[in-house]
Coordinates of all heavy atoms in Angstrom, one line a residue:
M30 N 6.6 2.6 11.0 CA 6.0 1.8 9.9 C 4.5 1.9 10.1 O 3.9 1.8 11.1 CB 6.5 0.4 10.1 CG 5.8 -0.5 9.1 SD 6.7 -2.1 9.1 CE 6.0 -2.8 7.6
V31 N 3.8 2.1 9.0 CA 2.3 2.2 8.9 C 1.8 0.9 8.3 O 2.3 0.3 7.4 CB 1.9 3.3 8.0 CG1 0.4 3.4 7.8 CG2 2.4 4.6 8.5
W32 N 0.8 0.3 9.0 CA 0.1 -0.9 8.4 C -1.2 -1.0 9.2 O -1.5 -0.5 10.2 CB 0.9 -2.1 8.6 CG 1.0 -2.6 10.0 CD1 1.9 -2.2 10.9 CD2 0.2 -3.6 10.6 NE1 1.7 -2.9 12.1 CE2 0.7 -3.8 11.9 CE3 -0.8 -4.4 10.2 CZ2 0.1 -4.7 12.8 CZ3 -1.4 -5.3 11.0 CH2 -1.0 -5.4 12.4
A33 N -2.1 -1.8 8.5 CA -3.4 -2.1 9.1 C -3.8 -3.5 8.5 O -3.4 -3.9 7.4 CB -4.4 -1.0 8.8
S34 N -4.7 -4.1 9.2 CA -5.3 -5.4 8.6 C -6.7 -5.6 9.1 O -7.1 -5.1 10.1 CB -4.4 -6.6 9.0 OG -4.5 -6.8 10.4
W35 N -7.5 -6.3 8.3 CA -8.9 -6.6 8.5 C -9.1 -8.1 8.2 O -8.5 -8.6 7.2 CB -9.8 -5.8 7.7 CG -9.7 -4.3 8.0 CD1 -10.3 -3.7 9.0 CD2 -8.8 -3.4 7.5 NE1 -9.9 -2.4 9.1 CE2 -9.0 -2.2 8.1 CE3 -7.8 -3.4 6.5 CZ2 -8.2 -1.0 7.8 CZ3 -7.1 -2.3 6.1 CH2 -7.3 -1.1 6.8
T36 N -9.9 -8.7 9.0 CA -10.3 -10.1 8.7 C -11.8 -10.3 8.9 O -12.4 -9.8 9.9 CB -9.6 -11.0 9.7 OG1 -8.2 -10.8 9.7 CG2 -9.9 -12.5 9.5
T37 N -12.4 -10.9 7.9 CA -13.8 -11.2 7.9 C -14.1 -12.7 7.7 O -13.9 -13.2 6.6 CB -14.6 -10.4 6.8 OG1 -14.3 -9.0 7.0 CG2 -16.1 -10.6 6.9
P38 N -14.4 -13.4 8.8 CA -14.7 -14.8 8.7 C -16.2 -15.1 8.2 O -17.0 -14.2 8.3 CB -14.5 -15.4 10.1 CG -14.8 -14.2 11.0 CD -14.5 -13.0 10.2
G39 N -16.4 -16.3 7.8 CA -17.8 -16.7 7.5 C -18.4 -16.1 6.3 O -19.6 -15.8 6.2
V40 N -17.5 -15.9 5.3 CA -18.0 -15.3 4.0 C -18.3 -16.5 3.0 O -17.4 -17.2 2.6 CB -16.9 -14.4 3.4 CG1 -17.4 -13.8 2.1 CG2 -16.6 -13.3 4.4
F41 N -19.5 -16.7 2.7 CA -19.9 -17.8 1.8 C -19.8 -17.4 0.4 O -20.4 -16.3 0.0 CB -21.3 -18.4 2.2 CG -21.3 -19.1 3.5 CD1 -21.5 -18.5 4.7 CD2 -21.1 -20.5 3.5 CE1 -21.5 -19.2 5.9 CE2 -21.1 -21.2 4.7 CZ -21.3 -20.5 5.9
T42 N -19.1 -18.1 -0.4 CA -18.9 -17.7 -1.8 C -20.2 -17.9 -2.6 O -21.0 -18.8 -2.4 CB -17.8 -18.6 -2.5 OG1 -18.2 -19.9 -2.5 CG2 -16.5 -18.4 -1.9
G43 N -20.4 -17.0 -3.5 CA -21.5 -17.2 -4.5 C -21.1 -18.2 -5.5 O -20.0 -18.7 -5.5
R44 N -22.1 -18.6 -6.4 CA -21.8 -19.6 -7.4 C -20.6 -19.2 -8.2 O -20.5 -18.1 -8.7 CB -23.0 -19.7 -8.3 CG -22.9 -20.7 -9.4 CD -24.1 -20.8 -10.2 NE -25.3 -21.0 -9.4 CZ -26.2 -21.9 -9.6 NH1 -26.1 -22.6 -10.7 NH2 -27.2 -22.1 -8.8
G45 N -19.7 -20.1 -8.4 CA -18.5 -19.8 -9.2 C -17.3 -19.5 -8.3 O -16.2 -19.4 -8.8
G46 N -17.5 -19.3 -7.0 CA -16.4 -19.1 -6.0 C -15.5 -17.9 -6.2 O -15.9 -16.9 -6.9
A47 N -14.3 -18.0 -5.6 CA -13.3 -17.0 -5.7 C -12.1 -17.6 -6.3 O -11.7 -18.7 -5.9 CB -13.1 -16.5 -4.3
R48 N -11.4 -16.8 -7.1 CA -10.2 -17.3 -7.8 C -8.9 -16.9 -7.0 O -8.8 -15.8 -6.6 CB -10.1 -16.7 -9.2 CG -8.9 -17.2 -10.0 CD -9.0 -16.9 -11.5 NE -10.3 -17.3 -12.1 CZ -10.6 -18.5 -12.5 NH1 -9.7 -19.5 -12.3 NH2 -11.8 -18.8 -13.0
T49 N -8.1 -18.0 -6.8 CA -6.9 -17.8 -6.0 C -5.7 -18.2 -6.9 O -5.8 -18.9 -7.9 CB -6.8 -18.6 -4.7 OG1 -6.7 -20.0 -5.1 CG2 -8.0 -18.3 -3.9
E50 N -4.5 -17.6 -6.5 CA -3.3 -18.0 -7.3 C -2.8 -19.4 -7.0 O -2.4 -20.1 -7.9 CB -2.2 -17.0 -6.9 CG -2.4 -15.5 -7.3 CD -2.5 -15.4 -8.8 OE1 -1.7 -15.9 -9.5 OE2 -3.5 -14.8 -9.2
E51 N -2.9 -19.9 -5.8 CA -2.4 -21.1 -5.4 C -3.3 -22.3 -5.6 O -2.9 -23.4 -5.9 CB -2.0 -21.1 -3.9 CG -0.9 -20.1 -3.6 CD -1.5 -18.7 -3.3 OE1 -2.7 -18.5 -3.3 OE2 -0.6 -17.8 -3.0
A52 N -4.6 -22.1 -5.5 CA -5.6 -23.2 -5.4 C -6.6 -23.1 -6.5 O -7.6 -23.9 -6.6 CB -6.2 -23.3 -4.1
G53 N -6.5 -22.2 -7.4 CA -7.6 -22.0 -8.4 C -8.8 -21.4 -7.8 O -8.7 -20.6 -6.9
V54 N -10.0 -21.9 -8.2 CA -11.2 -21.4 -7.7 C -11.5 -22.2 -6.4 O -11.5 -23.4 -6.3 CB -12.4 -21.6 -8.7 CG1 -13.7 -21.2 -8.0 CG2 -12.1 -20.7 -9.9
V55 N -11.9 -21.4 -5.3 CA -12.3 -22.0 -4.0 C -13.7 -21.7 -3.8 O -14.2 -20.6 -4.2 CB -11.3 -21.6 -2.9 CG1 -10.0 -22.2 -3.1 CG2 -11.3 -20.1 -2.7
V56 N -14.5 -22.6 -3.1 CA -15.9 -22.3 -2.9 C -16.2 -22.7 -1.4 O -15.5 -23.5 -0.8 CB -16.8 -23.1 -3.8 CG1 -16.6 -22.6 -5.3 CG2 -16.6 -24.6 -3.7
G57 N -17.2 -22.1 -0.9 CA -17.7 -22.5 0.5 C -17.5 -21.4 1.5 O -17.5 -20.2 1.1
D58 N -17.3 -21.7 2.7 CA -17.2 -20.8 3.8 C -15.7 -20.3 3.9 O -14.8 -21.1 4.3 CB -17.6 -21.6 5.1 CG -17.5 -20.7 6.4 OD1 -17.2 -19.5 6.3 OD2 -17.8 -21.3 7.4
L59 N -15.5 -19.1 3.6 CA -14.1 -18.5 3.6 C -14.0 -17.4 4.6 O -14.9 -16.8 5.0 CB -13.8 -18.0 2.2 CG -13.9 -18.9 1.0 CD1 -13.5 -18.2 -0.3 CD2 -13.0 -20.1 1.2
T60 N -12.7 -17.2 4.9 CA -12.3 -16.0 5.7 C -11.5 -15.1 4.7 O -10.6 -15.6 4.0 CB -11.4 -16.4 6.9 OG1 -12.2 -17.2 7.8 CG2 -10.9 -15.2 7.6
V61 N -11.8 -13.8 4.7 CA -11.1 -12.9 3.8 C -10.3 -12.0 4.7 O -10.7 -11.5 5.7 CB -12.1 -12.0 3.0 CG1 -11.4 -11.0 2.1 CG2 -13.1 -12.9 2.2
H62 N -9.0 -11.9 4.3 CA -8.0 -11.1 5.1 C -7.3 -10.1 4.2 O -6.8 -10.5 3.1 CB -7.0 -12.0 5.8 CG -6.0 -11.3 6.6 ND1 -6.3 -10.8 7.8 CD2 -4.7 -11.0 6.4 CE1 -5.2 -10.2 8.3 NE2 -4.2 -10.3 7.4
T63 N -7.2 -8.9 4.6 CA -6.5 -7.8 3.9 C -5.5 -7.2 4.8 O -5.8 -6.8 6.0 CB -7.5 -6.7 3.4 OG1 -8.5 -7.3 2.6 CG2 -6.8 -5.7 2.6
T64 N -4.3 -7.1 4.3 CA -3.2 -6.4 5.0 C -2.7 -5.2 4.2 O -2.4 -5.4 3.0 CB -2.0 -7.3 5.3 OG1 -2.5 -8.4 6.1 CG2 -0.9 -6.6 6.1
W65 N -2.6 -4.0 4.8 CA -2.1 -2.8 4.1 C -0.8 -2.4 4.7 O -0.7 -2.3 6.0 CB -3.2 -1.7 4.2 CG -2.8 -0.4 3.7 CD1 -2.6 -0.1 2.3 CD2 -2.5 0.8 4.4 NE1 -2.2 1.2 2.2 CE2 -2.2 1.8 3.4 CE3 -2.5 1.1 5.7 CZ2 -1.8 3.1 3.8 CZ3 -2.2 2.4 6.1 CH2 -1.9 3.4 5.1
D66 N 0.2 -2.2 3.9 CA 1.5 -1.9 4.4 C 1.9 -0.4 4.2 O 3.1 0.0 4.4 CB 2.6 -2.7 3.8 CG 2.8 -2.5 2.3 OD1 2.2 -1.5 1.7 OD2 3.6 -3.2 1.7
G67 N 0.9 0.4 3.8 CA 1.2 1.8 3.6 C 1.3 2.2 2.2 O 1.1 3.4 1.8
T68 N 1.5 1.2 1.3 CA 1.6 1.5 -0.2 C 0.7 0.5 -1.0 O 0.3 0.9 -2.1 CB 3.0 1.4 -0.7 OG1 3.5 0.1 -0.5 CG2 3.9 2.5 0.0
E69 N 0.5 -0.7 -0.5 CA -0.3 -1.6 -1.2 C -1.1 -2.5 -0.2 O -0.7 -2.6 0.9 CB 0.5 -2.5 -2.2 CG 1.5 -3.4 -1.5 CD 2.4 -4.1 -2.5 OE1 2.4 -3.8 -3.7 OE2 3.0 -5.1 -2.1
A70 N -2.1 -3.2 -0.8 CA -2.9 -4.1 0.0 C -2.8 -5.5 -0.5 O -2.9 -5.7 -1.7 CB -4.4 -3.6 0.0
D71 N -2.6 -6.4 0.4 CA -2.6 -7.9 0.0 C -3.9 -8.5 0.5 O -4.3 -8.3 1.7 CB -1.5 -8.6 0.7 CG -0.1 -8.2 0.2 OD1 0.1 -8.4 -1.0 OD2 0.7 -7.6 0.9
V72 N -4.6 -9.2 -0.4 CA -5.9 -9.8 0.0 C -5.7 -11.3 -0.2 O -5.3 -11.8 -1.2 CB -7.0 -9.3 -0.9 CG1 -8.4 -9.9 -0.5 CG2 -7.1 -7.8 -0.9
S73 N -6.1 -12.0 0.9 CA -6.0 -13.5 0.8 C -7.3 -14.1 1.4 O -8.1 -13.4 2.1 CB -4.8 -14.0 1.6 OG -4.8 -13.5 2.9
V74 N -7.5 -15.4 1.1 CA -8.7 -16.1 1.7 C -8.2 -17.5 2.2 O -7.1 -18.0 1.8 CB -9.8 -16.3 0.6 CG1 -10.3 -15.0 0.1 CG2 -9.2 -17.1 -0.6
Q75 N -9.0 -18.0 3.1 CA -8.7 -19.3 3.6 C -10.1 -20.0 3.9 O -11.1 -19.2 4.1 CB -7.9 -19.4 4.8 CG -8.6 -18.9 6.1 CD -7.7 -19.0 7.4 OE1 -8.2 -18.5 8.4 NE2 -6.6 -19.5 7.4
Y76 N -10.1 -21.3 3.9 CA -11.4 -21.9 4.3 C -11.5 -21.7 5.8 O -10.5 -21.9 6.5 CB -11.3 -23.5 4.0 CG -11.5 -23.8 2.6 CD1 -10.4 -24.1 1.8 CD2 -12.7 -23.7 2.0 CE1 -10.5 -24.4 0.5 CE2 -12.9 -24.0 0.6 CZ -11.8 -24.3 -0.1 OH -11.9 -24.6 -1.5
T77 N -12.6 -21.1 6.3 CA -12.8 -20.8 7.6 C -12.4 -21.9 8.6 O -12.9 -23.1 8.3 CB -14.2 -20.2 7.9 OG1 -14.4 -19.1 7.1 CG2 -14.4 -19.9 9.4
G78 N -11.6 -21.7 9.5 CA -11.2 -22.7 10.5 C -9.9 -23.5 10.1 O -9.5 -24.4 10.9
T79 N -9.3 -23.2 9.0 CA -8.1 -23.9 8.6 C -6.9 -22.9 8.7 O -7.1 -21.7 9.0 CB -8.2 -24.4 7.1 OG1 -8.3 -23.3 6.2 CG2 -9.4 -25.3 6.9
S80 N -5.7 -23.4 8.4 CA -4.6 -22.5 8.6 C -3.9 -22.1 7.3 O -3.1 -21.2 7.3 CB -3.5 -23.2 9.4 OG -3.1 -24.4 8.8
E81 N -4.3 -22.6 6.1 CA -3.6 -22.3 4.9 C -4.3 -21.1 4.2 O -5.5 -21.2 4.0 CB -3.7 -23.5 3.9 CG -2.8 -23.3 2.7 CD -2.7 -24.6 1.9 OE1 -3.3 -25.6 2.2 OE2 -1.9 -24.6 0.9
W82 N -3.5 -20.1 3.8 CA -4.0 -18.9 3.1 C -3.7 -19.0 1.7 O -2.7 -19.5 1.3 CB -3.4 -17.7 3.7 CG -3.9 -17.4 5.1 CD1 -3.3 -17.7 6.3 CD2 -5.1 -16.7 5.4 NE1 -4.0 -17.2 7.3 CE2 -5.2 -16.6 6.8 CE3 -6.1 -16.1 4.7 CZ2 -6.2 -16.0 7.5 CZ3 -7.2 -15.5 5.4 CH2 -7.2 -15.5 6.8
F83 N -4.6 -18.5 0.8 CA -4.5 -18.4 -0.6 C -4.6 -16.9 -1.1 O -5.5 -16.2 -0.6 CB -5.6 -19.2 -1.3 CG -5.6 -20.7 -0.9 CD1 -6.7 -21.1 -0.1 CD2 -4.6 -21.6 -1.2 CE1 -6.8 -22.4 0.3 CE2 -4.7 -22.9 -0.8 CZ -5.8 -23.3 0.0
T84 N -3.7 -16.5 -2.0 CA -3.8 -15.2 -2.5 C -4.9 -15.0 -3.4 O -5.1 -15.8 -4.4 CB -2.4 -14.9 -3.2 OG1 -1.3 -15.1 -2.4 CG2 -2.4 -13.4 -3.7
L85 N -5.8 -14.1 -3.2 CA -6.9 -13.8 -4.1 C -6.3 -13.2 -5.4 O -5.5 -12.3 -5.3 CB -7.9 -12.8 -3.4 CG -9.3 -12.7 -4.1 CD1 -10.0 -14.0 -4.2 CD2 -10.1 -11.6 -3.4
T86 N -6.7 -13.7 -6.5 CA -6.1 -13.3 -7.8 C -6.3 -11.8 -7.9 O -7.4 -11.2 -7.7 CB -6.7 -14.0 -8.9 OG1 -6.4 -15.4 -8.8 CG2 -6.2 -13.5 -10.3
G87 N -5.2 -11.1 -8.3 CA -5.2 -9.7 -8.5 C -4.5 -9.0 -7.3 O -4.2 -7.8 -7.4
S88 N -4.1 -9.7 -6.3 CA -3.4 -9.1 -5.1 C -1.9 -9.3 -5.3 O -1.5 -10.3 -5.9 CB -3.9 -9.9 -3.9 OG -3.2 -9.4 -2.7
P89 N -1.1 -8.4 -4.9 CA -1.4 -7.1 -4.2 C -1.9 -6.0 -5.1 O -1.6 -6.1 -6.3 CB -0.1 -6.8 -3.5 CG 0.9 -7.3 -4.4 CD 0.3 -8.6 -5.0
V90 N -2.5 -5.0 -4.6 CA -2.9 -3.9 -5.4 C -2.4 -2.6 -4.7 O -2.3 -2.5 -3.5 CB -4.4 -3.8 -5.5 CG1 -5.0 -4.9 -6.3 CG2 -5.1 -3.7 -4.2
P91 N -2.0 -1.6 -5.6 CA -1.6 -0.3 -5.0 C -2.7 0.3 -4.2 O -3.9 0.2 -4.6 CB -1.3 0.5 -6.2 CG -1.1 -0.4 -7.3 CD -1.9 -1.6 -7.0
C92 N -2.4 0.8 -3.0 CA -3.4 1.4 -2.2 C -2.7 2.5 -1.3 O -1.9 2.2 -0.6 CB -4.0 0.3 -1.3 SG -5.5 0.8 -0.5
R93 N -3.2 3.7 -1.5 CA -2.5 4.9 -0.9 C -2.9 5.3 0.5 O -2.3 6.2 1.1 CB -2.5 6.1 -1.9 CG -3.9 6.6 -2.1 CD -3.8 7.8 -3.1 NE -5.1 8.4 -3.2 CZ -6.1 8.0 -4.0 NH1 -5.9 7.0 -4.8 NH2 -7.2 8.7 -4.1
S94 N -4.0 4.7 1.0 CA -4.4 5.1 2.3 C -5.1 4.0 3.1 O -5.6 3.0 2.5 CB -5.4 6.3 2.3 OG -6.6 5.9 1.8
E95 N -5.1 4.1 4.4 CA -5.7 3.1 5.2 C -7.2 3.1 4.9 O -7.8 2.0 4.9 CB -5.5 3.4 6.7 CG -6.1 2.4 7.6 CD -5.7 2.6 9.1 OE1 -4.8 3.4 9.4 OE2 -6.4 2.1 9.9
V96 N -7.8 4.2 4.7 CA -9.3 4.3 4.4 C -9.6 3.5 3.2 O -10.5 2.7 3.1 CB -9.8 5.7 4.3 CG1 -11.2 5.8 3.8 CG2 -9.7 6.4 5.7
L97 N -8.8 3.7 2.1 CA -9.0 3.0 0.9 C -8.8 1.5 1.0 O -9.5 0.7 0.4 CB -8.1 3.6 -0.2 CG -8.5 5.0 -0.8 CD1 -7.5 5.5 -1.8 CD2 -9.9 4.9 -1.4
S98 N -7.8 1.2 1.8 CA -7.5 -0.3 2.0 C -8.7 -0.9 2.8 O -9.1 -2.1 2.5 CB -6.2 -0.5 2.8 OG -6.3 0.0 4.1
R99 N -9.4 -0.2 3.7 CA -10.5 -0.8 4.4 C -11.7 -0.9 3.4 O -12.4 -1.9 3.4 CB -11.0 0.1 5.5 CG -12.2 -0.3 6.2 CD -12.0 -1.7 6.9 NE -13.2 -2.2 7.6 CZ -14.0 -3.1 7.1 NH1 -13.8 -3.6 5.9 NH2 -15.0 -3.5 7.8
Q100 N -11.8 0.1 2.5 CA -12.9 0.0 1.4 C -12.6 -1.2 0.5 O -13.5 -1.9 0.1 CB -13.0 1.3 0.7 CG -13.5 2.4 1.5 CD -13.4 3.8 0.8 OE1 -12.8 3.9 -0.2 NE2 -14.0 4.8 1.5
L101 N -11.3 -1.4 0.2 CA -10.9 -2.5 -0.7 C -11.3 -3.8 0.0 O -11.8 -4.7 -0.7 CB -9.4 -2.4 -1.0 CG -8.9 -3.6 -1.8 CD1 -9.4 -3.6 -3.2 CD2 -7.4 -3.6 -1.8
H102 N -11.0 -3.9 1.3 CA -11.3 -5.2 2.0 C -12.8 -5.5 1.9 O -13.2 -6.6 1.6 CB -10.9 -5.1 3.5 CG -11.4 -6.3 4.3 ND1 -10.7 -7.5 4.2 CD2 -12.4 -6.4 5.1 CE1 -11.4 -8.3 5.0 NE2 -12.4 -7.7 5.5
Q103 N -13.6 -4.5 2.1 CA -15.1 -4.7 2.1 C -15.5 -5.0 0.7 O -16.4 -5.9 0.5 CB -15.9 -3.5 2.6 CG -17.3 -3.7 2.8 CD -17.6 -4.9 3.7 OE1 -17.0 -5.0 4.8 NE2 -18.5 -5.8 3.4
A104 N -14.9 -4.4 -0.3 CA -15.3 -4.7 -1.7 C -14.9 -6.1 -2.1 O -15.6 -6.9 -2.8 CB -14.6 -3.7 -2.7
A105 N -13.7 -6.6 -1.5 CA -13.3 -8.0 -1.7 C -14.3 -9.0 -1.1 O -14.6 -10.0 -1.6 CB -11.9 -8.2 -1.2
V106 N -14.7 -8.7 0.1 CA -15.7 -9.5 0.8 C -17.0 -9.6 -0.1 O -17.5 -10.7 -0.3 CB -16.1 -8.9 2.2 CG1 -17.3 -9.6 2.8 CG2 -14.9 -9.1 3.2
E107 N -17.5 -8.5 -0.6 CA -18.7 -8.5 -1.4 C -18.4 -9.2 -2.7 O -19.3 -9.9 -3.2 CB -19.1 -7.1 -1.7 CG -19.5 -6.3 -0.5 CD -20.6 -7.0 0.4 OE1 -21.6 -7.5 -0.2 OE2 -20.5 -7.0 1.6
A108 N -17.2 -9.1 -3.3 CA -16.9 -9.9 -4.5 C -16.9 -11.4 -4.3 O -17.5 -12.2 -5.1 CB -15.6 -9.4 -5.1
V109 N -16.4 -11.8 -3.1 CA -16.4 -13.2 -2.8 C -17.8 -13.7 -2.6 O -18.2 -14.8 -3.1 CB -15.5 -13.5 -1.5 CG1 -15.7 -14.9 -1.0 CG2 -14.0 -13.3 -1.9
K110 N -18.6 -12.9 -2.0 CA -20.0 -13.3 -1.8 C -20.8 -13.4 -3.1 O -21.7 -14.2 -3.3 CB -20.8 -12.2 -0.9 CG -20.4 -12.3 0.5 CD -21.2 -11.2 1.3 CE -20.9 -11.2 2.7 NZ -21.6 -10.0 3.4
A111 N -20.4 -12.6 -4.1 CA -21.0 -12.6 -5.4 C -20.6 -13.8 -6.2 O -21.3 -14.3 -7.1 CB -20.7 -11.3 -6.2
G112 N -19.4 -14.3 -6.0 CA -18.9 -15.5 -6.7 C -18.4 -15.1 -8.1 O -17.9 -14.1 -8.3
G113 N -18.7 -16.1 -9.0 CA -18.3 -15.9 -10.4 C -16.8 -15.9 -10.6 O -16.3 -15.2 -11.6
G114 N -16.1 -16.6 -9.8 CA -14.6 -16.6 -10.0 C -14.0 -15.3 -9.6 O -13.1 -14.8 -10.2
S115 N -14.6 -14.7 -8.5 CA -14.2 -13.3 -8.1 C -12.7 -13.2 -7.9 O -12.0 -14.1 -7.5 CB -15.0 -12.9 -6.9 OG -14.7 -13.8 -5.8
T116 N -12.2 -12.0 -8.2 CA -10.8 -11.6 -8.0 C -10.8 -10.3 -7.1 O -11.9 -9.8 -6.8 CB -10.1 -11.4 -9.3 OG1 -10.7 -10.3 -10.0 CG2 -10.1 -12.6 -10.1
V117 N -9.7 -9.8 -6.9 CA -9.6 -8.5 -6.1 C -10.2 -7.4 -7.0 O -9.8 -7.2 -8.1 CB -8.1 -8.1 -5.7 CG1 -8.1 -6.8 -5.1 CG2 -7.5 -9.2 -4.8
P118 N -11.2 -6.7 -6.5 CA -11.8 -5.6 -7.2 C -10.9 -4.4 -7.3 O -10.1 -4.2 -6.4 CB -13.1 -5.3 -6.5 CG -12.9 -5.8 -5.1 CD -11.9 -6.9 -5.2
R119 N -11.1 -3.6 -8.3 CA -10.3 -2.3 -8.4 C -11.3 -1.2 -7.9 O -12.4 -1.2 -8.4 CB -9.9 -2.1 -9.8 CG -8.9 -3.1 -10.3 CD -7.6 -3.1 -9.6 NE -6.8 -4.2 -10.1 CZ -5.5 -4.3 -9.8 NH1 -4.9 -3.4 -9.0 NH2 -4.8 -5.3 -10.2
L120 N -10.8 -0.3 -7.1 CA -11.6 0.8 -6.6 C -11.4 2.0 -7.5 O -10.4 2.2 -8.0 CB -11.3 1.1 -5.2 CG -11.6 0.0 -4.1 CD1 -11.2 0.5 -2.7 CD2 -13.0 -0.4 -4.2

């Protein structure tokens, strides 16, 4: 089985926050987490230091390689920093 994951804590949302499926728009100090299962990537966020995860709107997304999933994770981190009700970016 092929998989990979990345976690980036301490990501402060830009004005307008990040849009999630479960909690709507979240703002503040977030941790961004991406898991790739070999065919798609799941992106989620949580308030840093808490245990509840929220699906970033647009997740999961098809992703054909580990390299692309890492790039997707970084793009998601940058989108959350930009705010504006950010969702999972498309590469």
